[in-house]
Amino acid sequence: DAGVTQSPTHLIKTRGQQVTLRCSPKSGHDTVSWYQQALGQGPQFIFQYYEEEERQRGNFPDRFSGHQFPNYSSELNVNALLLGDSALYLCASSLKGTLTFFGQGTRLTVV
Amino acid sequence: SQQGEEDPQALSIQEGENATMNCSYKTSINNLQWYRQNSGRGLVHLILIRSNEREKHSGRLRVTLDTSKKSSSLLITASRAADTASYFCATDAKGGKLIFGQGTELSVKP
């Protein structure tokens, strides 16, 4: 079992650009959540997908959007990147309230 | 915004000593989870304690939960240099949305 896998590992983008991050959940998991972790802070919940629909959303602007595919994998899209979007983006998967497992994250740097 | 506070923010101990980290939260919860993070990479799940449980053990880890005080503690016994990491508590109030504290940075010196 590969666990939660994310790609890419690192990414550098320019202000104003758009970025797509990808996540494959742990085998058997049907719920995917995304978190943003700024340096020195705890992760902050962005949104959660279940059955290809956004079920919960944190306090993030509409520039942050996502998608879940029929195979439960997910994408996080961020438009009009700001310097403040530089962070570690973590994907997590779970199965209906059971343990939540995290991927290794994607380090996004906006310059 | 963060759910609550973790205390201390940083902790430095010698190998073999015990390390205790505390977490407080603000709202009612279904469960509370503790995670470890090495060098800003992914979070490793350590232990989950449900709101109707008071104490849980896993190897060298002991977690307590006091829902009346909205607080939890993580005890790592006989610490090792490999335990050096950041530790986070996360509360789950509804449907798997985890709210994290700011973490405790633990340094275990050999």
Side-chain angles (χ1 to χ4, degrees), chain A residues 9-10 33 35 37 40-45 48 56-58 88 90 97-105 107, chain B residues 1-2 31 33 35 37 39-45 48 50 88 92 94-103:
Chain A
T9 305
H10 295 86
S33 301
Y35 292 80
Q37 186 178 21
Q41 302 293 316
Q44 292 210 27
F45 177 81
Q48 179 189 77
Q56 299 190 72
R57 188 177 182 93
L88 181 68
L90 295 161
T98 58
L99 300 181
T100 299
F101 291 85
F102 283 80
Q104 288 299 300
R107 174 74 62 189
Chain B
S1 63
Q2 303 292 338
N31 63 65
Q33 304 181 41
Y35 289 86
Q37 185 176 43
S39 303
R41 298 308 294 173
L43 296 167
V44 175
H45 190 275
L48 179 151
R50 301 192 188 282
F88 294 91
D92 181 355
K94 176 184 176 184
K97 171 184 175 180
L98 297 179
I99 301 178
F100 286 82
Q102 294 204 349

Side-chain angles (χ1 to χ4, degrees), chain B:
Chain B
S1 63
Q2 303 292 338
Q3 164 72 293
E5 301 289 328
E6 280 168 280
D7 171 53
Q9 289 188 343
L11 180 61
S12 182
I13 59 175
Q14 295 293 132
E15 235 177 1
E17 294 181 337
N18 296 341
T20 299
M21 289 159 265
N22 303 296
C23 165
S24 62
Y25 57 92
K26 297 175 182 173
T27 63
S28 297
I29 61 172
N30 289 330
N31 63 65
L32 185 146
Q33 304 181 41
W34 284 90
Y35 289 86
R36 184 185 74 226
Q37 185 176 43
N38 291 84
S39 303
R41 298 308 294 173
L43 296 167
V44 175
H45 190 275
L46 296 177
I47 199 163
L48 179 151
I49 185 165
R50 301 192 188 282
S51 60
N52 61 352
E53 297 175 310
R54 292 296 168 258
E55 187 170 313
K56 217 166 176 183
H57 296 254
S58 178
R60 294 184 295 113
L61 306 180
R62 173 180 161 243
V63 167
T64 62
L65 179 64
D66 187 335
T67 52
S68 66
K69 295 181 179 178
K70 291 187 169 59
S71 67
S72 175
S73 67
L74 170 66
L75 168 67
I76 304 175
T77 59
S79 62
R80 306 166 181 168
D83 294 328
T84 294
S86 293
Y87 291 81
F88 294 91
C89 70
T91 54
D92 181 355
K94 176 184 176 184
K97 171 184 175 180
L98 297 179
I99 301 178
F100 286 82
Q102 294 204 349
T104 293
E105 195 172 325
L106 174 65
S107 175
V108 181
K109 301 185 186 307

